Amino acid sequence: MSENKKHTDSGIEIKTVYNSPDIPVTGNEQPGIFPYTRGVQSDMYRGKLWTMRQYAGFSTAEESNKRYHYLLSQGVSGLSVAFDLPTQIGYDSDHALSEGEVGKVGVAIDSIEDMQTLFAGIKLEDVSTSMTINSTGFILLAFYVALAKQQGADLKKITGTIQNDILKEYAARGTYIYPPKPSMRIITDIFEWCAKELPKWNTISISGYHIREAGSTAVQEIAFTLSNGKAYVKAALEKGLDINVFGKRLSFFFNAHNNLFEEVAKFRAARRMWAKMMKELGATDEKAMMLRFHTQTGGSTLTAQQPLNNISRVTIQTLAAVLGGTQSLHTNGYDEALSLPTEEAARIALRTQQITAYESGVVDTVDPLAGSYFIESLTNEVEQKALDLIAKIDALGGSVNAIEQGFIQNEIARSAYEYQRQIESKEKIIVGVNKFTIDKEEAIPAFKIDDSIRTVQSEKLKMLKAKRITLNAERCLQNISASAKDGSNLMPHVIEAVENYCTLGEIADTLRKVFGEYK
C-alpha cells in the first residue's frame, strides 16, 4: 500500500474527503423500519438503554456468584456467564482431560447443584442471563430451565441467550464435540423446544466475535457470521419450523475494534443485509427480520504492554458499539491481556459504559452518524464487500460446506497473517507495542485461579452420585440415547436428566456414543 493511501482494517480505501456524490441513494431510511440500517427501534436509546452486561465466571460457582452479586450492586442490568473449558467441551471436572483447566477461563458447572449455587440469591425471572456456551449449550440451558422451575418461575417470562453457535467453533474457535450435522440437529431441537416452552429466550447468538478474535477483518466478520446465520435458518426451515416464530429469537454477537468509523459502518451494514436476507428466506414478520446484537469490546486489541492504555481502547470500542446501535454490551477489563479481570478492572469497564450512557450525549438522538458522507459511503462499501464474500460461500454450497472445505478457516488465517505482518513492519502502529514503548513496565496485580478447584469439584461430583437414585439417572441417559437415534426432540429428555442429577459429562458422553466426535 503506497504511502499516501489510507485504508480501513478491511482494506477499503479511504478518500481524503467525502462529499454528497459519495452518499448512496438508499431512499429515506428510518430507524425501526425495514431494512433497519439506522436501528431496530424508532427511538433507540431514548426509549431504553442497551443492556450493560459484564462477562464473568471463574473458579467455582460460589466464587462466581459473589462476583455476580457485586456486579448487580454496581448497576449491571444483565449477567453474562463464562464457562471453563471442560464445561465447554462436555467433560466433568473429575475427567482426566479436565486436569489443569478446571475453573480457569470460566466457571466449572458439572451439575444442577453447581447451577443452584451459581445463581443463589438471584431470581431468574428478574435478570437476563447470557451464557457463552456452544457444543454443550443445550445442557446448560437444561440446567437453567430446571433451576427456574425449582424457583417457581414462569418459563414464559425467562429471558436470556445461549450462544449455541457451533459453526463458528469449527471455523474459528475449536470447542466442538460432535460432527456438523448432528450439531445442527441439536440446535434446531433447541429452536423448536424454546418456541413452545421458553418464548422470550434467544435460542442462538450467531457469533462474529470469535471469528474476529481469530484474525478476520470487519468485512469477513459480518460476511461469515450472516452466512452462518443463513445456514441455521435453512436448517430450521428444513425441519418445518416457522421463520416468523424462530426468526424473532435469533440474536447476534459482534466484536468492536478500534477503527471507529469502519466498526459503526459494519453494524449498520449487517442490519441491512440481514433484514434483506430474512425477507428473501420468507420472513414476513418485521421482528423476524431485525438483527439484534450483543457486542463485546475486542479482546485481541488489548495489550499486555502499558495495560492502562486499554481503558482508552475500550472507550473507543464502546462508542463504536453504541453509535452502531447495539442492544447489549460487555466491556473488557484493562488487565485482560494479563489475566481474568480483577474486581477493580471489571468496575472501570462497567463505568466506561455508564459514562458513555449518562455523560456523553451520544444516546440523545438515534443513529447520530447517519447522513455523514463518510459513514454512508463506508456502510455501502462494507455491505458490498461482505455480499461478494457471501456469494463465494453460497457457490461452495453454504457455510457448512465452506467450513468442511476449509474455505472460511483459510480466509481468516490469511487476514490474521497480513495483520501481524503490518504490525511487524510498522505499517500499523499499536501504541506501547511497536511505538511509544517504555523501558520498565509497571506491575499490575493479576487475578489468579487456584488449582485446588478440581479437587473441590470432584468431591462435589462424588457426593452427588452417592445420593442420587442411580436407576433414575441411568433411565434418563437411556432416554437421551434413544431420542438421539429416533430423531425426536432431545430437550425434554435432557431437562429430565439434569433434574435427576445426571452430570454434564454423562449427558455429553451419551451423545458421543451416538453421534461420534468431530476430529
Side-chain angles (χ1 to χ4, degrees):
M1 295 179 183
S2 71
E3 282 299 304
N4 57 356
K5 283 192 174 176
K6 298 277 182 196
H7 296 82
T8 69
D9 289 344
S10 295
I12 295 168
E13 193 178 328
I14 301 170
K15 301 195 323 188
T16 307
V17 67
Y18 286 76
N19 291 298
S20 52
D22 295 302
I23 290 203
V25 179
T26 52
N28 186 21
E29 290 186 339
Q30 291 300 319
I33 295 169
F34 182 89
Y36 311 107
T37 313
R38 302 194 59 194
V40 291
Q41 279 106 16
S42 58
D43 60 351
M44 283 305 286
Y45 306 130
R46 287 175 70 118
K48 179 176 181 270
L49 288 174
W50 63 93
T51 303
M52 296 183 196
R53 296 189 185 279
Q54 278 312 100
Y55 188 45
F58 52 87
S59 172
T60 58
E62 287 87 347
E63 289 304 311
S64 293
N65 176 261
K66 285 178 200 164
R67 178 69 67 95
Y68 294 155
H69 279 285
Y70 171 75
L71 289 168
L72 288 166
S73 77
Q74 294 301 305
V76 302
S77 41
L79 296 173
S80 196
V81 188
F83 298 96
D84 72 357
L85 275 175
T87 304
Q88 291 179 47
I89 50 176
Y91 293 122
D92 287 333
S93 298
D94 59 1
H95 193 286
L97 290 176
S98 299
E99 193 166 349
E101 290 297 341
V102 177
K104 287 288 168 74
V105 297
V107 63
I109 299 291
D110 294 319
S111 73
I112 179 71
E113 290 189 344
D114 287 334
M115 205 61 151
Q116 289 163 348
T117 306
L118 187 67
F119 290 100
I122 298 168
K123 279 186 72 182
L124 300 192
E125 256 188 45
D126 297 344
V127 290
S128 160
T129 303
S130 166
M131 296 191 272
T132 304
I133 194 75
N134 298 283
S135 55
T136 55
F138 66 107
I139 306 174
L140 271 300
L141 179 60
F143 285 147
Y144 198 83
V145 168
L147 177 59
K149 283 163 73 177
Q150 286 176 359
Q151 288 187 356
D154 177 355
L155 293 187
K156 302 279 188 279
K157 289 181 183 165
I158 294 290
T159 62
T161 307
I162 39 171
Q163 193 163 92
N164 199 26
D165 174 6
I166 204 65
L167 292 177
K168 67 95 179 49
E169 294 297 326
Y170 301 117
R173 196 165 165 269
T175 68
Y176 44 75
I177 303 174
Y178 316 111
K181 291 196 171 61
S183 292
M184 293 293 274
R185 175 261 172 103
I186 292 171
I187 287 169
T188 54
D189 277 4
I190 293 168
F191 287 0
E192 182 179 52
W193 185 84
C194 286
K196 295 189 192 86
E197 307 293 336
L198 213 64
K200 286 190 164 182
W201 190 266
N202 296 325
T203 49
I204 193 165
S205 175
I206 305 156
S207 173
Y209 185 84
H210 304 94
I211 289 170
R212 191 67 177 282
E213 289 294 284
S216 82
T217 64
V219 164
Q220 288 171 328
E221 180 188 351
I222 59 166
F224 298 155
T225 306
L226 299 191
S227 188
N228 288 349
K230 197 198 290 192
Y232 292 124
V233 170
K234 284 184 168 173
L237 289 171
E238 277 164 27
K239 194 165 185 164
L241 303 183
D242 183 348
I243 193 168
N244 288 320
V245 176
F246 75 79
K248 293 178 194 172
R249 302 275 40 111
L250 305 176
S251 65
F252 288 81
F253 174 26
F254 290 122
N255 210 316
H257 275 219
N258 292 326
N259 195 313
L260 180 69
F261 297 115
E262 181 173 48
E263 293 298 300
V264 174
K266 173 188 83 177
F267 296 131
R268 298 173 90 248
R271 264 195 300 271
R272 187 156 70 203
M273 289 164 69
W274 184 247
K276 290 175 180 173
M277 223 180 252
M278 286 295 273
K279 198 171 198 175
E280 278 165 24
L281 289 164
T284 52
D285 189 307
E286 284 188 356
K287 282 201 161 69
M289 298 182 228
M290 289 178 183
L291 181 141
R292 297 165 305 115
F293 66 99
H294 169 69
T295 310
Q296 182 173 339
T297 57
S300 61
T301 67
L302 303 180
T303 64
Q305 300 90 332
Q306 302 175 37
L308 289 171
N309 293 348
N310 293 328
I311 296 173
S312 302
R313 292 186 177 100
V314 170
T315 303
I316 292 167
Q317 294 161 11
T318 299
L319 273 173
V322 172
L323 291 168
T326 194
Q327 275 58 67
S328 148
L329 179 61
H330 161 81
T331 32
N332 289 334
Y334 67 81
D335 55 1
E336 286 189 52
L338 303 166
S339 69
L340 287 170
T342 56
E343 213 166 76
E344 182 206 41
R347 184 176 65 244
I348 290 171
L350 175 60
R351 295 289 181 256
T352 304
Q353 295 197 51
Q354 291 164 336
I355 290 165
T356 304
Y358 295 102
E359 297 183 27
S360 73
V362 296
V363 300
D364 294 344
T365 186
V366 182
D367 194 18
L369 294 182
S372 148
Y373 300 143
F374 180 37
I375 283 289
E376 296 295 355
S377 169
L378 196 51
T379 300
N380 245 38
E381 286 198 71
V382 167
E383 179 180 21
Q384 193 48 57
K385 275 191 162 10
L387 287 171
D388 293 346
L389 205 41
I390 289 171
K392 284 185 187 174
I393 294 167
D394 287 344
L396 293 171
S399 267
V400 179
N401 285 1
I403 287 164
E404 286 178 340
Q405 291 167 44
F407 171 77
I408 290 176
Q409 298 92 311
N410 291 341
E411 289 290 305
I412 295 169
R414 197 176 299 122
S415 294
Y417 171 80
E418 176 56 22
Y419 184 76
Q420 193 56 38
R421 188 198 62 72
Q422 287 175 2
I423 291 171
E424 286 174 17
S425 67
K426 295 196 175 177
E427 285 170 60
K428 185 160 206 39
I429 298 301
I430 307 292
V431 173
V433 175
N434 62 0
K435 199 170 183 171
F436 313 115
T437 55
I438 52 177
D439 293 333
K440 194 175 182 301
E441 289 283 346
E442 206 178 312
I444 297 276
F447 189 78
K448 288 277 181 280
I449 297 293
D450 190 343
D451 275 322
S452 66
I453 288 157
R454 183 163 183 249
T455 314
V456 172
Q457 287 297 111
S458 301
E459 202 50 46
K460 282 193 211 164
L461 280 163
K462 204 182 287 179
M463 285 159 66
L464 176 94
K465 287 175 183 176
K467 73 174 189 191
R468 72 186 181 184
I469 300 167
T470 309
L471 277 174
N472 288 355
E474 284 169 358
R475 175 183 51 79
C476 290
L477 294 173
Q478 282 161 5
N479 290 344
I480 290 173
S481 183
S483 172
K485 288 170 188 162
D486 68 23
S488 60
N489 197 300
L490 283 161
M491 282 306 295
H493 303 294
V494 178
I495 292 166
E496 188 192 13
V498 305
E499 287 175 333
N500 282 279
Y501 299 103
C502 292
T503 69
L504 171 114
E506 289 172 331
I507 294 166
D509 280 347
T510 300
L511 292 177
R512 278 185 177 97
K513 287 181 191 135
V514 181
F515 296 148
E517 287 192 70
Y518 186 69
K519 294 284 185 260

